[in-house]
Amino acid sequence: MAWWNRTKKNIEDQQQREIPDGLFLKCSGCGYIIYKRELEENLYTCPECSKHARIGSEEYIEILIDAGTWNETDDNMVSTDPLEFVDQHPYSVKLERAQKKTGLNDAIRIGTGSTNGIRIALAVMDFSFVGGSMGSVVGEKFTRAADLARKERMPFVAVTASGGARMMESAISLMQMAKTSVALSQLADARVPYITILTHPTTGGVTASFGMLGDITLAEPGALIGFAGPRVIEQTIKKRLPEGFQQSEFLQDHGFVDHIVHRKELKETLTRVLGLLPVPEVGK
Amino acid sequence: MAKYVLEFEKPIIELEEKIFEMRSMSDQLDIDDEIAVLEEKVERLRGNIYEQLTRWQRVQLARHPERPFTLDYIEMICDDFIELHGDRSFRDDPAIVGGPAQIDGIELVLIGHQKGHDTKENLKRNFGMPNPEGYRKALRLMSLAEKFRLPVVTLIDTPGAYPGIEAEERGQAEAIARNLIEMAGLKTPIVNIVIGEGASGGALGIGMGDRFYMMENTWYSVIAPESCSSILWRSWEYKEQAAEALRLTAWDILELGISDGIIREPVGGAHRDHEAAADEVKNQIVTSLRELKKLSHDELLDQRSARYRKIGVWGTA
């Protein structure tokens, strides 16, 4: 799903790229024409209709973390294809391609850094890597970030973007929902705040585990957030889904999201939230 | 005689019916030798067929409508059971049942997915696909167990949590996620047994604990083979391949280090002999609860944490 379209239609990979390289871009939400640099300065949100384009983990780290304070860990952790899974293509080939395409080793990045001077542990998912799906690596890295937050008594923040558990690691992926919940249960026992920022899209096993377990749940506007994907629901009930179904605003109306925050206000809101939640000292 | 027969069961069922007929005539005719020959043949056939089932055939057995479901097991293994209804917030979800029970003198809380044996009951039970209120009822029952220091046993048998509009409105994802974090820290023993289908978050939503067993002809996976086929092969036709790739049988899950063992079923599957299947399930429940009773709360939660933390395989680039 492309959120931003080129105004000129002469380049082949138009459909595949979320944020193309053209000089001028057209918002797929309202048709507004925007200069590329202006879009970047606006953190890839439309100045006219506020539509939020999907961005990667690198951008979220830049947005949330004070310059020069990011310390990434376990960035070399990779899936080893434990089931030797093959569908139309081998999983190992898909992994290699995703690694080449994204420059990432899997669909999550973890580390520590400061957000307006407050030291936090951060986990950021990246949808561009196999649909942000959760297998062993995502589960283990998320768990390590939560454990670090617990041991060093710093707030834990997770930015989610995921199609759910990764099919190619089957039951092992399913178990990552259990594993991350164990880590969050222990984090909660230590009374360390856990804040989630749900972005487009967050569905399946990620929503049904750490996505919905924040002490405070923030979401970007217009993000698709749900358990089942819209296509699956339509196939099940054989009806078209209502406008706005499963979007952030829908979830807030139904009581599952605390606050919808424009990307440009994300860092300030997070800082305010963290400022209001006390963190116990180490050993307490 | 069986009403619902799977394709690969047919040769066996046909022979069995023939033996049954011949027996009824054996008063008048001297055909004992012929019967003995046929019995030997059917025995060989059973061995051949059931020892070489493909993963997809196991999935079919797991879905057999004549298998015992949660309430059937409760009827067969509990000295007493009182079903409790409702999540105290929205309504009662008939796709999950549960309540306080007694098995072999042990008090516990028993919770399970509930399918229907026929269309009418399946409509009531939503084919064993819970809505959020089902998971919230289960959580209420687990809290009850914790309060009264009763162990929890869950019987897992679902094609998945229901993917519907209302389920999303009422927070299907939140309901499952909440159960996961609560089960991670529940201060009482939990035993999980897959008695049929174990599909994804819908199964896991009542499926975390200290012991995890699968019956012989059941499956457990992140996604049903048909759905996996439709997404990864972009067609519903590759369900057999998907079932192979997903490694979803009781043996696969044991090999992956996720389960603690396999509960044997009578030859031909649990649907061929409910009482025999129930005996095996009962034995496993009693054995597991006796083991877990010896652990303190801290030991229990430490072991539970370690159990899930160890699952995962990775390398370094």
Side-chain angles (χ1 to χ4, degrees):
Chain A
M1 175 173 21
W3 286 49
W4 292 88
N5 300 319
R6 286 165 200 280
T7 49
K8 285 181 187 168
K9 297 206 170 200
N10 58 350
I11 293 175
E12 280 177 355
D13 64 353
Q14 180 201 337
Q15 294 303 320
Q16 286 156 28
R17 306 197 56 171
E18 194 72 357
I19 301 154
D21 301 327
L23 209 52
F24 287 96
L25 301 158
K26 185 176 172 186
C27 172
S28 68
C30 67
Y32 182 77
I33 308 279
I34 185 171
Y35 188 48
K36 193 186 162 221
R37 187 172 296 162
E38 192 192 342
L39 179 65
E40 281 169 13
E41 280 165 6
N42 222 35
L43 305 179
Y44 302 96
T45 65
C46 175
E48 192 64 20
C49 73
S50 262
K51 183 152 193 142
H52 283 48
R54 198 157 66 213
I55 54 174
S57 48
E58 188 63 31
E59 284 79 17
Y60 279 111
I61 292 165
E62 256 173 54
I63 289 169
L64 293 171
I65 299 293
D66 303 340
T69 69
W70 176 242
N71 178 20
E72 186 162 349
T73 50
D74 297 303
D75 58 335
N76 60 351
M77 197 187 286
V78 289
S79 170
T80 51
D81 185 13
L83 305 186
E84 297 174 350
F85 192 98
V86 179
D87 49 77
Q88 288 177 303
H89 311 280
Y91 173 41
S92 55
V93 171
K94 283 187 192 174
L95 282 170
E96 260 175 54
R97 276 192 209 145
Q99 282 153 357
K100 234 175 241 167
K101 184 186 87 174
T102 62
L104 303 170
N105 279 320
D106 211 299
I108 198 167
R109 295 172 68 185
I110 60 166
T112 55
S114 296
T115 184
N116 285 324
I118 305 170
R119 191 158 174 263
I120 62 167
L122 179 69
V124 188
M125 301 191 79
D126 204 307
F127 193 80
S128 61
F129 193 98
V130 196
S133 55
M134 170 161 66
S136 295
V137 173
V138 169
E140 177 64 18
K141 285 176 75 172
F142 183 95
T143 300
R144 288 187 185 186
D147 288 350
L148 186 68
R150 175 165 54 89
K151 282 171 194 147
E152 298 196 9
R153 296 290 194 259
M154 53 186 164
F156 181 33
V157 178
V159 181
T160 65
S162 175
R166 189 173 293 169
M167 282 178 279
M168 297 77 107
E169 294 183 32
S170 196
I172 300 176
S173 298
L174 182 60
M175 287 300 102
Q176 304 309 307
M177 294 170 66
K179 179 173 174 171
T180 53
S181 300
V182 165
L184 289 177
S185 164
Q186 290 162 352
L187 187 72
D189 283 346
R191 292 176 293 117
V192 173
Y194 168 53
I195 315 295
T196 52
I197 299 170
L198 309 177
T199 76
H200 179 81
T202 299
T203 60
V206 165
T207 322
S209 59
F210 60 81
M212 279 288 148
L213 292 174
D215 294 306
I216 292 179
T217 306
L218 307 177
E220 285 194 343
L224 174 78
I225 302 163
F227 176 66
R231 205 166 51 96
V232 174
I233 300 173
E234 282 188 340
Q235 281 170 359
T236 306
I237 63 169
K238 315 248 183 322
K239 269 192 273 184
R240 295 274 302 181
L241 295 171
E243 187 75 17
F245 181 67
Q246 292 183 309
Q247 288 193 3
S248 321
E249 296 75 12
F250 173 95
L251 268 91
Q252 191 179 43
D253 284 348
H254 286 86
F256 294 101
V257 161
D258 290 303
H259 231 68
I260 294 171
V261 186
H262 194 288
R263 196 175 284 157
K264 287 168 82 178
E265 290 155 16
L266 209 46
K267 188 175 184 180
E268 288 314 308
T269 306
L270 180 64
T271 309
R272 279 178 57 208
V273 164
L274 294 177
L276 293 172
L277 297 180
V279 185
E281 286 166 35
V282 174
K284 286 186 183 167
Chain B
M1 287 286 113
K3 290 179 295 246
Y4 182 94
V5 180
L6 294 165
E7 201 53 43
F8 59 86
E9 291 180 309
K10 273 184 185 159
I12 296 169
I13 304 281
E14 277 165 16
L15 268 182
E16 283 175 347
E17 279 171 358
K18 200 164 171 189
I19 294 169
F20 184 78
E21 268 172 43
M22 286 171 75
R23 278 230 178 91
S24 63
M25 296 185 294
S26 62
D27 289 349
Q28 295 107 35
L29 300 164
D30 184 21
I31 48 173
D32 286 354
D33 289 351
E34 281 91 332
I35 292 177
V37 168
L38 279 183
E39 275 177 340
E40 204 178 300
K41 194 176 166 192
V42 80
E43 202 53 45
R44 261 204 322 274
L45 200 57
R46 276 198 200 110
N48 286 342
I49 290 177
Y50 289 105
E51 273 157 34
Q52 299 172 32
L53 290 177
T54 65
R55 289 184 170 91
W56 173 246
Q57 286 170 331
R58 296 267 181 211
V59 171
Q60 290 175 293
L61 279 175
R63 290 173 177 167
H64 202 293
E66 287 158 24
R67 274 182 84 83
F69 299 145
T70 294
L71 287 172
D72 304 317
Y73 281 112
I74 287 174
E75 178 74 34
M76 291 184 282
I77 68 179
C78 292
D79 313 326
D80 198 6
F81 171 76
I82 300 175
E83 187 178 350
L84 303 183
H85 294 274
D87 68 341
R88 295 297 182 269
S89 163
F90 181 67
R91 65 158 209 160
D92 186 47
D93 185 349
I96 287 184
V97 296
Q102 195 186 58
I103 298 175
D104 215 18
I106 307 169
E107 283 86 24
L108 69 150
V109 167
L110 210 148
I111 301 166
H113 296 104
Q114 184 63 41
K115 290 180 173 176
H117 286 291
D118 54 39
T119 308
K120 193 181 158 206
E121 201 196 349
N122 258 324
L123 289 175
K124 176 182 167 191
R125 305 285 181 188
N126 200 27
F127 298 85
M129 294 185 282
N131 275 283
E133 52 273 19
Y135 293 105
R136 292 182 182 128
K137 171 166 72 177
L139 180 56
R140 179 199 146 214
L141 297 176
M142 288 184 223
S143 305
L144 184 89
E146 187 180 47
K147 178 176 174 182
F148 295 105
R149 309 196 166 187
L150 299 171
V152 176
V153 171
T154 74
L155 302 183
I156 295 161
D157 189 9
T158 182
Y162 188 60
I165 290 189
E166 294 81 6
E168 295 289 323
E169 284 176 346
R170 295 197 289 274
Q172 188 75 287
E174 194 275 343
I176 293 172
R178 185 66 46 204
N179 282 13
L180 301 188
I181 197 168
E182 293 297 333
M183 285 184 281
L186 200 79
K187 292 188 187 70
T188 194
I190 311 174
V191 176
N192 315 119
I193 298 174
V194 183
I195 57 166
E197 301 188 85
S200 198
L204 192 61
I206 60 164
M208 275 177 74
D210 308 294
R211 293 287 186 277
F212 185 88
Y213 289 92
M214 289 178 70
M215 295 189 75
E216 199 177 331
N217 297 307
T218 64
W219 64 273
Y220 192 65
S221 161
V222 71
I223 189 165
E226 293 92 331
S227 311
C228 180
S229 164
S230 98
I231 296 171
L232 293 181
W233 279 266
R234 297 180 193 283
S235 150
W236 297 95
E237 299 304 310
Y238 295 87
K239 49 190 189 292
E240 286 92 347
Q241 285 97 316
E244 290 297 315
L246 286 167
R247 305 265 296 266
L248 41 58
T249 67
W251 282 270
D252 293 327
I253 299 300
L254 184 64
E255 201 185 309
L256 291 173
I258 294 171
S259 78
D260 296 292
I262 299 168
I263 299 176
R264 302 302 291 208
E265 294 184 19
V267 176
H271 59 290
R272 302 298 306 273
D273 188 344
H274 283 201
E275 291 289 343
D279 277 347
E280 296 290 330
V281 169
K282 181 178 176 174
N283 286 340
Q284 190 58 63
I285 291 174
V286 171
T287 309
S288 295
L289 291 182
R290 289 200 177 126
E291 282 166 19
L292 294 168
K293 203 183 162 190
K294 295 175 193 148
L295 302 175
S296 71
H297 285 164
D298 285 348
E299 286 169 329
L300 194 69
L301 292 187
D302 284 352
Q303 289 184 16
R304 194 181 299 161
S305 164
R307 185 181 171 86
Y308 291 105
R309 282 173 174 275
K310 76 177 192 328
I311 304 175
V313 186
W314 61 85
T316 44

